[in-house]
């Protein structure tokens, strides 16, 4: 391997890594080759991992990786690494998954050491927000920007910051919690302990509430997706609902733009699929509220990698020679 650390070193210098995304319902893994754009092959999903002890799941993961590499004609020795992304409290330095909402029975599992022992390849563990950020910053909609706001709109609001050409998560790695700034001092209580948090106004629960109020919700199915389908079918109530989400998004982002002056705002997660209904209202509101945006308006872009972002980001991080998150 002759390539330097950064992905996308050009033809002949591509590096390959396995990306693993441990989600709530399945563990997804695939082979990623760096490049512009990165390519993903051999994606496989292991279901039901949450009920099994870690050793059983890791044996299964190692066997699946070996099978996948055989299929793709790649040897373990050609791999730059294995990257794992998982929601929850992650100790990246020691490679330990402390707790995860996706794996309630797993506690303090040394995922990196266990996988390295099984595969003989260096491994790396990050949380899902870091994996998403890496995918979009290294090889997605925020590529090339030294100052970017990168967020996910889904069940909550996650994401992170690129400041001065580096990811920023605060002094101890706990910061950049974009979803938990108060927009309403006396607003509803948030699971984080604060009140009136940003994510309560723009994420899934907010869409469900607005949908119920406008007569758009019928049952407990995937409301954001159904509202999106209604908007696509020309239902004005659905279009107005997303415009309201956009207005709130712009209001929440205004303070961040005033504080950080990002050059781009990238939005991913399930709800970003409705970006064409949400982003124009967000951009408008940002211009109304943010003095910085009035002078230097950052474009709001939809994330490029969709549901594969976690896997791709984890693999790109593993393919680097120098760690991105320290
Ligand atoms: Zn909160």
């Amino acid at each position: 391997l002759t390539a330097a650390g950064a992905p996308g070193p050009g033809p002949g210098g591509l590096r390959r890594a396995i990306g693993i995304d441990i989600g709530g319902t399945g563990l997804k893994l695939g082979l990623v080759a760096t490049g512009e754009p990165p390519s993903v092959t051999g994606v496989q999903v292991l279901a039901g991992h949450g009920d099994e002890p870690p050793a059983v799941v890791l044996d299964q993961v190692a066997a699946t990786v070996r099978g996948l590499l055989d299929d793709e004609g790649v040897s373990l020795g050609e791999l730059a690494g294995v990257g794992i992304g998982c929601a929850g409290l992650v100790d990246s330095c020691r490679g330990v998954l402390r707790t995860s909402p996706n794996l309630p029975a797993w506690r303090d599992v040394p995922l990196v050491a266990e996988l390295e022992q099984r595969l003989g390849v260096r491994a790396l563990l990050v949380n899902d927000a870091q994996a998403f950020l890496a995918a979009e910053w290294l090889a997605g909609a925020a590529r090339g920007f030294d100052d970017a706001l990168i967020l996910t709109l889904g069940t909550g609001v996650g994401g992170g910051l690129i400041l001065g050409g580096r990811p920023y998560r605060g002094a101890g790695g706990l910061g950049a919690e974009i979803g938990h700034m108060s927009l309403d001092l006396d607003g509803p209580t948030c699971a984080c302990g604060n009140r009136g948090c940003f994510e309560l106004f723009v994420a899934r629960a907010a869409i469900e509430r607005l949908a119920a109020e406008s007569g758009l919700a019928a049952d407990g199915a995937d409301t954001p997706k159904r509202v999106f389908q209604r908007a696509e079918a020309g239902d004005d109530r659905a279009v107005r609902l997303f415009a309201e989400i956009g207005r709130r998004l712009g209001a929440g982002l205004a303070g961040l733009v005033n504080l950080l002056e990002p050059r781009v705002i990238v939005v991913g997660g399930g709800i970003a699929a409705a970006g064409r209904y949400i982003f124009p209202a967000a951009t408008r509101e940002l211009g109304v509220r943010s003095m910085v945006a009035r002078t230097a308006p950052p474009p709001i872009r939809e994330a490029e990698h969709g549901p594969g972002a976690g896997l791709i980001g984890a693999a790109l991080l593993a393919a680097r020679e120098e760690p991105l998150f320290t």
Side-chain angles (χ1 to χ4, degrees):
L1 293 168
T2 54
L14 298 186
R15 292 162 67 87
R16 293 193 188 89
I18 293 287
I20 302 177
D21 179 14
I22 305 180
T25 54
L27 185 155
K28 191 159 56 175
L29 57 85
L31 179 65
V32 175
T34 62
E36 295 188 9
S39 70
V40 187
T41 50
V43 174
Q44 308 214 16
V45 177
L46 310 178
H49 56 279
D51 307 324
E52 304 276 2
V56 173
V57 175
L58 290 166
D59 284 346
Q60 204 186 350
V61 168
T64 307
V65 168
R66 289 176 190 277
L68 187 163
L69 291 176
D70 274 351
D71 293 347
E72 300 293 325
V74 176
S75 71
L76 273 169
E78 292 172 81
L79 276 190
V82 176
I84 312 156
C86 185
L89 199 52
V90 161
D91 181 343
S92 291
C93 292
R94 295 190 301 132
V96 174
L97 179 66
R98 295 178 63 188
T99 59
S100 171
N102 294 342
L103 302 156
W106 291 22
R107 293 212 161 247
D108 296 317
V109 179
L111 279 181
V112 164
E114 294 283 334
L115 259 190
E116 286 182 342
Q117 189 203 337
R118 282 167 173 79
L119 290 171
V121 176
R122 76 177 183 158
L124 162 153
L125 174 66
V126 293
N127 77 23
D128 57 340
Q130 290 170 304
F132 174 76
L133 180 107
E136 291 300 327
W137 185 48
L138 297 174
R143 180 178 50 232
F145 288 93
D146 282 346
D147 298 277
L149 245 168
I150 301 177
L151 55 146
T152 56
L153 273 184
T155 309
V157 174
L161 311 171
I162 301 295
L163 299 179
R166 298 286 305 169
Y168 183 81
R169 289 186 64 81
L174 298 175
E177 289 287 355
I178 292 170
H180 299 281
M181 313 173 297
S182 271
L183 294 194
D184 181 353
L185 299 190
D186 302 309
T189 305
C190 181
C192 75
N194 194 2
R195 301 187 71 164
C197 282
F198 184 25
E199 72 174 31
L200 301 177
F201 291 90
V202 295
R204 173 180 296 268
I207 292 179
E208 286 168 352
R209 208 172 313 114
L210 288 174
E213 284 167 16
S214 53
L216 280 163
D219 52 45
D222 186 347
T223 303
K225 190 175 171 188
R226 281 160 22 109
V227 176
F228 174 63
Q229 288 163 346
R230 297 290 281 272
E232 290 285 87
D235 187 328
D236 207 41
R237 295 170 302 172
V239 172
R240 279 201 305 271
L241 186 156
F242 282 131
E244 170 60 14
I245 293 293
R247 189 180 74 88
R248 298 170 176 192
L249 181 66
L253 292 174
L256 286 172
V257 170
N258 285 345
L259 182 69
L260 304 169
E261 198 195 341
R263 284 284 179 264
V264 69
I265 298 171
V266 173
V267 183
I271 296 168
R276 66 176 159 282
Y277 301 106
I278 297 174
F279 299 166
T283 303
R284 212 160 38 238
E285 192 69 10
L286 201 52
V288 169
R289 292 188 185 242
S290 164
M291 57 189 176
V292 172
R294 279 196 293 277
T295 305
I300 302 179
R301 296 184 179 173
E302 186 178 340
E304 281 179 19
H305 292 299
L311 187 163
I312 292 169
L316 293 181
L317 289 169
R320 291 171 66 91
E321 277 173 358
E322 289 179 16
L324 193 60
F325 301 102
T326 47

